[in-house]
Amino acid sequence: MQTFRLYIILFFLVVIPGCSSINVSQDYPLNTDYSVLKTYAWQSEKQEKTGDIRLDNPLLDTRIRGAIDTFLSEKGYQRVSDVAPDFYLAYHQEIYNRINVDQTRSGFAFGMGSYGYHGGIGFSTGNSVSSYDLSMLVIDVIDSGSGGILWRGTGTR
């Protein structure tokens, strides 16, 4: 029974760190008074084409804008179209191809055979090269008066 518990613990120690999440960051000027901002509008009603079919998707555009509109509405901001807003919103999305090189691999094994318990540890010195896509979404809050960025949020995965 203790061996089974050890396998479960080792499984979670290996699997949990491998789960990826979205890395989020934000940047903004420290001297901005955000309490005066009440209304907003999208800087552009249609998202600019990127040339990447994965990003130039009207369904994706609707989802992103809908999620942002819902979030801002829940925070008390009002979307306007007939008057000048306090701020504009814009978003940009890109997909980058990245290469990952893993130079050392290791592993262990443990088993039970007809002559008792057996175990082993192995190391490999060969390189493992893989490629993956990194998607980045940038959301900008833009001052309607000056055109300067009031807040920028970035999410990558």
Side-chain angles (χ1 to χ4, degrees):
M1 188 64 170
Q2 284 188 343
T3 304
F4 179 71
R5 287 183 187 165
L6 177 64
Y7 282 132
I8 295 297
I9 291 170
L10 289 174
F11 173 77
F12 282 109
L13 288 175
V14 171
V15 171
I16 296 299
C19 297
S20 65
S21 62
I22 298 174
N23 296 322
V24 178
S25 66
Q26 61 183 344
D27 195 10
Y28 53 90
L30 297 175
N31 59 352
T32 303
D33 181 14
Y34 294 97
S35 65
V36 299
L37 303 176
K38 306 286 185 212
T39 61
Y40 75 95
W42 285 95
Q43 189 175 39
S44 170
E45 288 302 318
K46 284 189 166 186
Q47 190 62 15
E48 186 177 321
K49 299 293 182 190
T50 65
D52 187 335
I53 193 167
R54 298 170 293 179
L55 300 176
D56 296 339
N57 180 346
L59 299 173
L60 182 61
D61 179 52
T62 301
R63 286 186 198 109
I64 291 171
R65 289 174 186 257
I68 294 170
D69 284 337
T70 300
F71 177 81
L72 290 176
S73 175
E74 290 172 354
K75 297 295 181 189
Y77 295 100
Q78 182 181 5
R79 183 175 174 184
V80 295
S81 59
D82 54 346
V83 296
D86 297 327
F87 64 93
Y88 289 104
L89 288 175
Y91 79 88
H92 314 280
Q93 190 174 21
E94 300 232 4
I95 296 177
Y96 302 97
N97 188 273
R98 294 289 186 243
I99 296 176
N100 183 40
V101 178
D102 184 13
Q103 297 181 358
T104 305
R105 295 184 191 168
S106 63
F108 69 93
F110 183 79
M112 188 172 76
S114 58
Y115 295 107
Y117 294 101
H118 303 282
I121 298 175
F123 293 95
S124 171
T125 58
N127 291 338
S128 171
V129 179
S130 60
S131 69
Y132 63 95
D133 288 332
L134 177 69
S135 178
M136 179 176 13
L137 175 65
V138 177
I139 301 170
D140 288 333
V141 173
I142 303 162
D143 184 11
S144 62
S146 69
I149 294 179
L150 297 173
W151 181 89
R152 173 171 279 177
T154 305
T156 56
R157 179 170 185 190

